[in-house]
Amino acid sequence: MESARSAGEIVMKAVRLVAEGRPLEMQEVPAPVPGPGEVLVRVRAAGICHSDAHYRSGRAPAIRMPLTLGHEIAGTVESAGKDVKGLSAGDRVCIHYLRTCGLCGPCAAGAEQFCETGAMLGRHEDGGFAEYVAVPGRNALILPDEVPFEHGAVMMCSSATAYHALGKARVGAGDKVAVFGAGGLGMSAVQIARALGAESVYAVDISAERLALAASFGAVPVDASACDPVLEIKRLSGGGVDAALELIGLAKTMKQAVQCLRRLGRAVIAGLADKPLEIDSYRELIGNEAEIIGSNDHLLSELPPLLEMARTGRLNLSEVVTRRIPLDARAVNRVLDELERFGPGVRTVIEP
């Protein structure tokens, strides 16, 4: 940490959203102090997510400003507040980004992403584009030694969101699965679907680089710039897939995810879109008894099996993290600009 700004106050560097539609700014802010039940985590890696670009632009508004963005976080425990058990200074951890009460109706029903008093790091309260962050002890999961910090950070959103979406799609042994979008979420979705027993996974994108990487993880690449992906998936799969994940957030790809289903198929929509999904209700939905399912965030209980997949190598993010940058506002803004344009690379991680 840096020197005290005033007696008893420690300051740190943070990259912050100050207004919608404006570049993020580097600021010095008071370092958080862990309260009862909380831990102070020194950030070792913070992933940059497409959602961060949406918060900057206002497409998905942040709740307050100024705000430190960043919800994909891994680091080491610096100190623990009163009543924290099972964590000690120096522990390697990754952070579940939803702060929940655990007591309300949604939490009791296993839908903690709808907690009545819930808050999201990096959207409702300060996140990980900083040197330190304070979080509830229950949100800090031990990161296995086999998993690098940058992988642990990325897993907390892109991999976890993909895992939750595949669960909503009820993907299991023998299923055929289409994944629309071979970015950070898509690369995890391809690998996790295979780990869940999917017979075949079709990765849809327009980037030759990303399609080649998806193929290295066992996916069948479908280049949407060179063919009609719906017709190609139906040809390759012998009539359609059991489940389709839309991870991009475009009206066109949401529709394609529904159209490529076989009878009784399930389309899960997880991409953030600003235009509505339009379907032919009889031919694409009723006639096939298809399902369209929304998928929102993930659950704390889903993270331990995901971490085990990474520990044992079934989920490999070594080629998914394609760039590492310092905690620098200009560098972060450049990455967000590229995400807005669906630019090259897969996932960028800040290393303070």
Side-chain angles (χ1 to χ4, degrees):
M1 292 187 192
E2 298 184 3
S3 60
R5 176 182 295 169
S6 60
E9 182 179 84
I10 305 299
V11 298
M12 67 176 184
K13 294 178 181 178
V15 175
R16 312 194 84 200
L17 174 67
V18 296
E20 289 180 358
R22 286 179 51 184
L24 305 186
E25 296 182 6
M26 177 73 85
Q27 296 182 349
E28 287 190 346
V29 298
V33 177
E38 293 186 332
V39 293
L40 180 67
V41 175
R42 181 178 180 183
V43 179
R44 299 289 188 176
I48 301 178
C49 177
H50 214 123
S51 296
D52 296 313
H54 295 329
Y55 302 149
R56 187 184 66 164
S57 69
R59 184 179 182 184
I63 303 304
R64 66 171 177 83
M65 287 173 275
L67 176 73
T68 304
L69 297 185
H71 54 276
E72 298 183 348
I73 309 166
T76 53
V77 174
E78 186 77 7
S79 62
K82 183 181 178 182
D83 299 327
V84 172
K85 297 179 181 179
L87 292 171
S88 304
D91 283 346
R92 303 174 77 252
V93 294
C94 50
I95 306 302
H96 177 50
Y97 62 64
L98 295 175
R99 183 191 290 266
T100 60
C101 72
L103 301 173
C104 66
C107 283
E112 67 197 52
Q113 68 270 54
F114 303 111
C115 175
E116 294 173 2
T117 60
M120 178 180 174
L121 291 173
R123 187 180 187 191
H124 303 103
E125 52 186 61
D126 288 334
F129 290 1
E131 294 177 298
Y132 295 87
V133 65
V135 300
R138 67 188 295 267
N139 285 51
L141 292 87
I142 295 294
L143 183 65
D145 291 338
E146 296 89 344
V147 183
F149 287 117
E150 61 267 30
H151 297 185
V154 168
M155 287 175 61
M156 294 298 97
C157 176
S158 62
S159 300
T161 299
Y163 185 74
H164 183 72
L166 288 163
K168 297 291 288 185
R170 307 190 297 280
V171 169
D175 279 346
K176 298 178 180 180
V177 180
V179 176
F180 285 80
L185 274 74
M187 293 302 176
S188 288
V190 165
Q191 296 181 69
I192 297 168
R194 299 283 293 177
L196 293 173
E199 175 186 312
S200 51
V201 181
Y202 305 94
V204 184
D205 209 290
I206 59 174
S207 165
E209 176 188 11
R210 292 181 178 182
L211 288 171
L213 182 55
S216 74
F217 292 133
V220 178
V222 177
D223 185 350
S225 69
C227 68
D228 181 326
V230 174
L231 295 179
E232 183 68 0
I233 288 170
K234 287 188 173 182
R235 183 186 72 82
L236 292 168
S237 64
V241 294
D242 300 284
L245 270 61
E246 201 284 336
L247 306 174
I248 303 170
L250 297 175
K252 180 178 182 179
T253 48
M254 289 191 294
K255 185 176 181 66
Q256 290 170 340
V258 176
Q259 291 175 325
C260 74
L261 297 174
R262 65 186 293 274
R263 290 176 181 172
L264 302 176
R266 292 89 60 193
V268 174
I269 310 299
L272 298 178
D274 58 3
K275 293 183 179 179
L277 165 63
E278 296 181 359
I279 61 170
D280 182 326
S281 58
Y282 177 71
R283 291 180 179 83
E284 297 170 0
L285 189 64
I286 299 170
N288 289 325
E289 280 203 2
E291 298 177 51
I292 301 174
I293 304 167
S295 182
N296 185 10
D297 286 320
H298 60 272
L299 306 176
L300 178 62
S301 61
E302 293 170 330
L303 297 180
L306 194 62
L307 286 166
E308 181 62 11
M309 285 185 187
R311 189 190 70 79
T312 56
R314 289 174 292 163
L315 175 61
N316 178 7
L317 300 178
S318 60
E319 295 182 77
V320 174
V321 177
T322 52
R323 180 167 43 182
R324 297 161 178 81
I325 63 172
L327 184 65
D328 176 80
R330 288 173 297 180
V332 174
N333 281 310
R334 283 195 294 268
V335 173
L336 295 177
D337 291 343
E338 292 175 1
L339 287 171
E340 292 279 15
R341 299 190 300 266
F342 295 94
V346 182
R347 213 59 166 189
T348 298
V349 170
I350 300 168
E351 295 183 332

